[in-house]
Amino acid sequence: MLHLKLETDPRWVTIAESNIEEILTDHAWCEQKAATNAITIITHNSEKVDLVTELLELAKEELEHFQMVHEIIKKRGYTLGRERKDHYVNELYKFMNKGGSRLQSMVDRLLFSAMIEARSCERFKLLSERINDEELSKFYYDLMVSEAGHYTTFITFARKYGQDIDVDKRWQELVEFEGELIKSYGKSEGIHG
């Protein structure tokens, strides 16, 4: 369903398990950034009522996920560390069309968002299947389902509003780009690391 070119090496879960506090902190900040991203899309496209309505719900859900991760962090006696830079997302951002029309920019931002959700979903699936911590296994399974829905939301809006753009072609270009990019990741205890 996610159409990713390259799957994460399952050994990444071992790396993630080696420092649960770090993976949880990184994950918490990923959720905060996802909420901020949804708000940014709303800000730039406020005239699109259906998009605003859906992304407000999505932003609230992402903030709820942030809170859920924070609760796990506190319950385990950890501390939410400082915000982490997400080098994967920053590299993926470079692919976005910066000089096109407003519509092209919106479609690219929606596809960029869909890709992040797809990769997060794939990583959460891996964690849910392979992590030895039962609580986190269930937690990541539930989040995997949610992230798949977010992926679908972003792709659907890109196709709806990008009628004059070859959205599927642009998506395939992004899939190819991300497939090469992700080869450099999966070696650290970050959701996209």
Side-chain angles (χ1 to χ4, degrees):
M1 175 191 136
L2 299 172
H3 309 291
L4 297 171
K5 186 175 172 108
L6 185 66
E7 291 183 6
T8 298
D9 186 325
R11 291 177 289 187
W12 170 77
V13 175
T14 304
I15 295 167
E17 276 187 307
S18 72
N19 192 344
I20 294 293
E21 184 173 7
E22 178 60 29
I23 196 80
L24 289 171
T25 291
D26 183 68
H27 178 194
W29 289 114
C30 286
E31 297 292 354
Q32 178 273 324
K33 290 172 193 165
T36 300
N37 179 57
I39 298 289
T40 299
I41 294 170
I42 290 168
T43 302
H44 293 274
N45 303 284
S46 56
E47 72 283 1
K48 297 182 176 8
V49 176
D50 58 342
L51 179 90
V52 170
T53 302
E54 283 283 324
L55 293 192
L56 279 171
E57 290 303 314
L58 191 146
K60 285 194 287 189
E61 194 171 303
E62 297 289 17
L63 280 176
E64 287 170 7
H65 294 168
F66 183 26
Q67 183 177 18
M68 290 164 68
V69 179
H70 186 237
E71 291 302 320
I72 292 172
I73 288 169
K74 291 189 312 185
K75 181 173 130 186
R76 291 176 178 230
Y78 302 147
T79 303
L80 176 64
R82 303 293 295 170
E83 179 185 357
R84 305 316 198 237
K85 290 211 181 291
D86 193 325
H87 299 288
Y88 164 81
V89 170
N90 291 338
E91 288 296 314
L92 199 60
Y93 184 78
K94 292 177 183 176
F95 179 80
M96 285 178 39
N97 187 339
K98 312 295 185 304
S101 69
R102 185 166 177 253
L103 179 63
Q104 180 66 55
S105 294
M106 180 183 74
V107 168
D108 267 26
R109 185 66 177 243
L110 291 167
L111 294 177
F112 161 82
S113 302
M115 180 57 72
I116 295 167
E117 297 289 348
R119 182 56 68 186
S120 297
C121 181
E122 188 255 358
R123 292 278 171 102
F124 292 167
K125 180 177 188 288
L126 205 53
L127 284 169
S128 75
E129 293 172 346
R130 295 181 174 264
I131 200 164
N132 292 314
D133 184 310
E134 284 185 39
E135 178 189 26
L136 291 181
S137 175
K138 173 159 182 11
F139 178 66
Y140 281 111
Y141 177 83
D142 292 343
L143 287 186
M144 171 196 68
V145 173
S146 178
E147 299 297 300
H150 296 171
Y151 157 82
T152 301
T153 296
F154 287 121
I155 285 281
T156 300
F157 278 119
R159 289 186 174 130
K160 177 179 180 176
Y161 287 112
Q163 293 172 350
D164 296 334
I165 297 168
D166 190 341
V167 174
D168 290 331
K169 178 178 183 253
R170 187 68 178 148
W171 175 250
Q172 283 311 309
E173 292 168 355
L174 181 56
V175 166
E176 292 295 321
F177 179 83
E178 197 270 352
E180 289 302 310
L181 175 63
I182 202 66
K183 290 178 183 178
S184 302
Y185 292 89
K187 300 170 181 80
S188 68
E189 59 276 281
I191 293 298
H192 302 123

